Amino acid sequence: WTPARLAIVPLAVLSGAAIYSGLAVIGATICFWTIKTPEVINVFTAGGSEAASYPVSIYSGLVRNAFLFVVPIAFANYPAALLLLGRSDPLGLPAWAAWLAPLVAGLFCGAALLFWRYGVSKYQSTGS
């Protein structure tokens, strides 16, 4: 264990929590327009947890990039795990990418907040 490896653990945990919080905000925003929102949220949270339980390198490029950069569920744990284990990514993700997890989580939360603000601006109550 090195100081860098010790530091990446809490960063990965906090980044993962922020990413899942962003998913919750996105799911809450979708509630403005749908009735069956829990199923939509479960696709991302439960499905994302299941997908993130395997190494991201087993997925095709499109799925891999979606879980790393679009809905970055895998970004908090996969690059950090590679760094902790001293392994390189078979598909070329650099080892220093693990340090980008807080940035990626912040960007994702920012996008979730913008989506929330959009949802609130378009919300129309039932009037009762």
Side-chain angles (χ1 to χ4, degrees):
W1 286 90
T2 65
R5 286 184 177 175
L6 288 173
I8 199 69
V9 173
L11 283 177
V13 170
L14 292 173
S15 297
I19 289 168
Y20 274 90
S21 296
L23 282 174
V25 170
I26 290 170
T29 306
I30 293 172
C31 287
F32 290 134
W33 302 294
T34 63
I35 297 170
K36 299 287 185 182
T37 303
E39 287 81 6
V40 173
I41 296 169
N42 284 339
V43 166
F44 293 111
T45 56
S49 293
E50 183 67 26
S53 66
Y54 296 100
V56 179
S57 59
I58 68 167
Y59 298 110
S60 70
L62 180 65
V63 174
R64 179 180 190 268
N65 289 335
F67 282 129
L68 283 172
F69 303 111
V70 179
V71 181
I73 292 172
F75 205 95
N77 67 348
Y78 182 66
L82 290 174
L83 182 72
L84 287 172
L85 296 172
R87 303 268 176 126
S88 61
D89 182 23
L91 300 176
L93 189 68
W96 53 262
W99 297 104
L100 296 178
L103 175 65
V104 170
L107 290 172
F108 185 68
C109 285
L113 179 61
L114 289 175
F115 186 55
W116 171 260
R117 288 183 180 167
Y118 174 77
V120 168
S121 74
K122 302 297 180 189
Y123 177 71
Q124 296 178 359
S125 74
T126 61
S128 54

